[in-house]
């Protein structure tokens, strides 16, 4: 039987994001900043470099990034 990995998705809880910009600094390929709303958003939900996603999650002061 073919083995399939469940696709993980990068998400930001927009309600909780305080707009510090740390995630964008760590992974500009994955996150971008919405200046109007002063919040970050995900530009690449399928993810990429796991290390930088992990670092962004660990550095997010609001703990609002998930990758699962
Ligand atoms: S690190 Fe967290 S709080 Fe800071 S901008 Fe990114 S998602 Fe928002």
């Amino acid at each position: 039987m073919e083995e399939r990995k469940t696709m993980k998705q990068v998400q930001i809880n927009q309600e909780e994001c305080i707009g510090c910009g740390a995630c964008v600094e760590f992974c500009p390929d994955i996150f971008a900043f919405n200046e109007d709303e002063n919040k970050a958003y995900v530009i690449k939900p399928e993810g990429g470099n796991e290390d930088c996603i992990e670092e962004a999650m660990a550095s997010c002061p609001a703990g609002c990034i998930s990758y699962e």
Side-chain angles (χ1 to χ4, degrees), residues 12 16-24 33 39-40 56 59-65:
I12 291 178
E16 288 175 16
C17 172
I18 57 166
C20 72
C23 57
V24 184
F33 204 75
K39 284 178 192 293
S59 311
C60 174
C64 62
I65 303 170

Side-chain angles (χ1 to χ4, degrees), residues 8-27:
K8 293 210 281 184
Q9 286 240 323
V10 184
Q11 287 181 315
I12 291 178
N13 183 330
Q14 297 280 326
E15 308 265 291
E16 288 175 16
C17 172
I18 57 166
C20 72
C23 57
V24 184
E25 229 164 273
F26 277 112
C27 324

Side-chain angles (χ1 to χ4, degrees), residues 24-64:
V24 184
E25 229 164 273
F26 277 112
C27 324
D29 292 345
I30 313 258
F31 304 103
F33 204 75
N34 180 335
E35 300 281 350
D36 290 339
E37 294 196 21
N38 207 34
K39 284 178 192 293
Y41 62 98
V42 179
I43 48 177
K44 204 165 166 251
E46 69 271 30
N49 185 323
E50 301 253 338
D51 289 346
C52 87
I53 297 170
E54 298 277 329
E55 273 192 78
M57 285 172 72
S59 311
C60 174
C64 62

